[in-house]
């Protein structure tokens, strides 16, 4: 059995795509996944399952939610080694003391033609970012809600993105290690 971390984009946000975590857990268990544990209402799940292609399992999960709840969310599925690499690869360890200012943006894939100049132009003077394959780290000390860069990531990278703050990333790592 492998440990997986599922990051759902756009569920339970602003009253849209409502999916209670107990329902989400039931859908995953219905797919034969085990040890399903959710974290906060925005769609973070740790579970175990047979070794399969993560992209295929993501589609299977989205389709099962579509069947049960009428919408198919985008799901970024990570294997445990990838999450560990993301945690170890944090280029801004000094920002961990203020984890609400540090975000990991998980991309659907490595962007084929990211607009790095556009990212740099949108970056506030206090912000820092680093693109590392299919992950973009963003340190926004003035808050993510004020960040023009954060609001334009998907457009400038050209791929779907789902973001998690450092507290959530750390907690998911703890949950996955304990699974």
């Amino acid at each position: 059995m492998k440990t997986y971390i599922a990051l759902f984009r756009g569920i339970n946000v602003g009253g849209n795509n409502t999916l209670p975590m107990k329902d989400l857990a039931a859908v995953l268990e219905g797919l034969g996944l085990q040890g399903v544990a959710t974290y906060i209402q925005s769609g973070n799940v740790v579970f175990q399952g047979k070794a399969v292609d993560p992209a295929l399992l993501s589609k299977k999960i989205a389709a099962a939610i579509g069947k049960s709840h009428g919408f198919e969310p985008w799901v970024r599925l990570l294997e445990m080694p990838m999450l560990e690499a993301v945690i170890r690869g944090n280029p801004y360890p000094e920002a961990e003391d203020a984890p609400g200012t540090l975000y990991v943006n998980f991309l659907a894939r490595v962007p084929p033609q990211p607009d790095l100049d556009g990212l740099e132009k949108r970056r506030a003077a206090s912000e820092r970012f680093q693109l590392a394959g299919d992950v973009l780290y963003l340190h926004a000390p003035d808050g993510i809600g004020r960040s023009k860069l954060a609001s334009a990531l998907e457009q400038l990278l050209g791929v779907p993105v789902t973001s998690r703050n450092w507290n959530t990333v750390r907690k998911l790592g703890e949950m996955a290690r304990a699974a």
Side-chain angles (χ1 to χ4, degrees), residues 5-129:
I5 301 90
L7 306 173
F8 291 79
R9 183 174 99 172
I11 65 170
N12 300 330
V13 178
N16 296 313
N17 296 334
T18 302
L19 181 57
M21 293 300 98
K22 65 180 175 139
D23 292 359
L24 176 56
V27 168
L28 296 177
E29 289 165 353
L31 293 172
L33 303 172
Q34 300 175 359
V36 177
T38 63
Y39 178 67
I40 65 176
Q41 295 298 310
S42 60
N44 304 288
V45 185
V46 174
F47 61 87
Q48 288 78 45
K50 294 179 182 176
V52 295
D53 177 359
L56 293 176
L57 183 54
S58 292
K59 290 177 183 175
K60 190 175 181 180
I61 291 169
I65 292 168
K67 187 175 180 181
S68 66
H69 287 77
F71 66 93
E72 290 192 19
W74 178 65
V75 183
R76 177 66 159 90
L77 198 60
L78 308 173
E79 295 179 31
M80 184 60 192
M82 163 117 190
L83 182 61
E84 291 288 358
V86 165
I87 292 169
R88 280 191 317 273
N90 173 20
Y92 310 116
E94 68 284 356
E96 292 178 15
D97 290 337
T101 68
L102 181 58
Y103 284 78
V104 179
N105 299 276
F106 296 90
L107 316 181
R109 60 190 169 282
V110 174
Q113 296 179 329
D115 182 354
L116 298 176
D117 289 336
L119 290 168
E120 190 60 39
K121 287 176 186 172
R122 294 270 173 88
R123 181 182 68 81
S126 63
E127 293 177 331
R128 302 178 288 171
F129 71 90

